[in-house]
């Protein structure tokens, strides 16, 4: 209350046309300019929240004072209006309660009449139901059998359609063909790893599969190199005669293709096999038919 009085005194002084009023207005202008300058500086250095907090404080101080003054001035009229409104509400609620009591009495009578009618109607329906129960039971059973038969037929039809659709999808699905050269390369690499690890039987099986795949395509160079790998694995297993035959066939193929480097490696492998046998390397024609090592 004391702050409200001070604000009123300041406001009357500012509005006065005297020298004191003019001096007060100049002071307020200077203070406002300084406040704006300080606010700009604080915002520039990143302290805008301080400016915002101060502005909120001033706003709430002035606004709170204005609200208190308004309440002090208008409180008697607000209190009298509230009393009149409360009295009117009490009168209206009393009238509404009386009307509601009357309506409830009327509804109770209607409910009693409806209950009596329902009991009478229920007795009539019970007699009629007992008379027609057997016929209704037969009708319901017949309808249930017909419905069950239709459901079964529809289920069988749906299953047949689903089977046909699945068969068509299976037939329409095309498995992506495997590249024979890539598959043979993979088998050859796996066989080479097995041979270097000492698993010669597994290496023979892998190289044989690779040779079978390459035999179905026109890849004489790859066939010759695969024969060389298979011959190396067979020589480690002791099947020297078969290894020699594969070496010679591979060397002959590479000679026809002009692959002198690989042919020379295969001839070297063939010489090693002959040396293990205790013999000597055969004629150049026979030696050149051995495949190059992997």
């Amino acid at each position: 209350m004391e702050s409200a009085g001070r604000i009123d005194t300041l406001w009357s002084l500012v509005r006065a046309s005297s020298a004191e009023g003019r001096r007060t207005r100049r002071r307020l202008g200077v203070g406002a300019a300084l406040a704006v300058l300080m606010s700009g500086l604080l915002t520039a250095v990143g302290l805008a929240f301080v400016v915002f907090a101060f502005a909120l404080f001033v706003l709430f101080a002035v606004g709170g004072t204005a609200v208190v003054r308004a309440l002090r001035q208008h409180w008697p009229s607000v209190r009298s209006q509230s009393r009149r409104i409360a009295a009117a509400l009490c009168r209206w609620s009393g009238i509404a309660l009386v009307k509601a009591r009357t309506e409830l009495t009327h509804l109770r009578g209607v409910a009693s009449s409806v209950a009596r009618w329902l009991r009478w109607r229920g007795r009539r329906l019970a007699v009629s139901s007992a008379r027609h129960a057997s016929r209704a039971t037969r009708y319901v059973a017949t309808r249930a059998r017909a419905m069950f038969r239709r459901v079964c037929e529809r289920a069988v039809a749906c299953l047949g359609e689903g089977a046909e659709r699945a068969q068509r999808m299976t037939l329409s699905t095309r498995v992506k063909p495997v590249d024979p050269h890539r598959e043979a390369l993979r088998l050859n690499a796996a066989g080479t790893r097995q041979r270097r690890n000492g698993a010669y039987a597994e290496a023979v099986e892998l190289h044989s599969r690779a040779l079978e795949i390459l035999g179905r395509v026109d890849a004489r160079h790859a066939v010759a190199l695969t024969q060389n790998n298979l011959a190396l694995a067979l020589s480690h297993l002791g099947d020297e005669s078969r290894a020699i035959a594969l070496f010679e066939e591979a060397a002959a193929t590479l000679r026809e293709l002009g692959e002198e480097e690989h042919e020379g490696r295969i001839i070297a492998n063939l010489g090693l096999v002959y040396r293990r046998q205790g013999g000597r390397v055969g004629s150049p024609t026979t030696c050149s038919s051995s495949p190059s090592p992997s």
Side-chain angles (χ1 to χ4, degrees):
M1 302 302 178
E2 186 177 349
S3 60
R6 292 177 181 177
I7 290 175
D8 291 338
T9 304
L10 178 62
W11 182 244
S12 60
L13 182 62
V14 168
R15 289 192 301 173
S17 59
S18 60
E20 185 67 24
R22 288 192 295 272
R23 187 164 49 252
T24 303
R25 286 194 291 273
R26 283 196 298 271
R27 289 176 181 175
L28 287 176
V30 172
L34 289 175
V36 171
L37 178 62
M38 289 301 297
S39 300
L41 291 175
L42 290 174
T43 304
V45 300
L47 297 177
F49 67 94
V50 176
V51 178
F52 183 69
F54 180 73
L56 285 179
F57 172 75
V58 173
L59 180 62
F60 283 130
V62 176
T65 303
V67 169
V68 170
R69 289 183 58 196
L71 287 176
R72 288 179 59 189
Q73 291 176 359
H74 300 287
W75 174 246
S77 61
V78 170
R79 183 170 55 188
S80 61
Q81 290 290 338
S82 300
R83 288 176 179 175
R84 283 197 296 272
I85 292 172
L89 286 175
C90 289
R91 288 194 301 273
W92 179 84
S93 60
I95 295 171
L97 286 175
V98 172
K99 290 183 177 179
R101 188 178 299 109
T102 305
E103 292 295 332
L104 286 175
T105 304
H106 176 67
L107 288 175
R108 189 180 297 112
V110 172
S112 300
S113 301
V114 171
R116 287 194 300 270
W117 182 85
L118 287 176
R119 284 195 295 270
W120 172 79
R121 190 62 180 170
R123 287 194 295 269
R124 292 288 302 275
L125 288 175
V127 174
S128 178
S129 299
R131 193 163 42 243
H132 300 289
S134 58
R135 185 167 56 188
T137 302
R138 287 194 299 269
Y139 174 76
V140 169
T142 304
R143 294 286 295 176
R145 284 196 297 269
M147 187 179 296
F148 180 73
R149 184 167 55 252
R150 286 197 299 271
V151 169
C152 291
E153 292 174 355
R154 185 63 181 275
V156 171
C158 290
L159 288 175
E161 292 176 1
E164 292 178 1
R165 190 179 297 110
Q167 186 176 6
R168 287 197 299 270
M169 291 178 63
T170 303
L171 293 176
S172 63
T173 303
R174 294 289 182 265
V175 180
K176 186 178 180 180
V178 180
D179 186 4
H181 294 280
R182 191 181 300 274
E183 181 66 15
L185 181 62
R186 186 186 67 80
L187 292 172
N188 264 325
T192 301
R193 287 195 299 271
Q194 294 292 342
R195 175 168 54 81
R196 289 174 179 172
N197 292 332
Y200 303 117
E202 290 80 357
V204 168
E205 181 181 357
L206 291 170
H207 290 312
S208 299
R209 288 169 56 190
L211 188 61
E212 181 182 357
I213 293 173
L214 292 172
R216 295 194 291 266
V217 297
D218 186 14
R220 299 180 62 195
H221 182 268
V223 168
L225 297 181
T226 304
Q227 287 175 337
N228 171 70
N229 294 334
L230 178 59
L232 288 173
L234 288 171
S235 66
H236 284 291
L237 284 177
D239 194 353
E240 306 290 352
S241 58
R242 187 179 172 191
I244 290 172
L246 289 171
F247 278 138
E248 291 177 348
E249 184 178 354
T253 302
L254 292 174
R255 186 184 310 111
E256 294 177 3
L257 297 176
E259 294 283 345
E260 297 180 356
E261 180 182 356
H262 290 116
E263 181 187 359
R265 294 179 182 178
I266 292 176
I267 291 174
N269 292 336
L270 182 60
L272 291 175
V273 174
Y274 275 127
R275 187 173 64 182
R276 282 201 297 268
Q277 279 186 329
R280 61 185 182 85
V281 179
S283 62
T285 303
T286 305
C287 292
S288 62
S289 56
S290 59
S292 65
S294 59

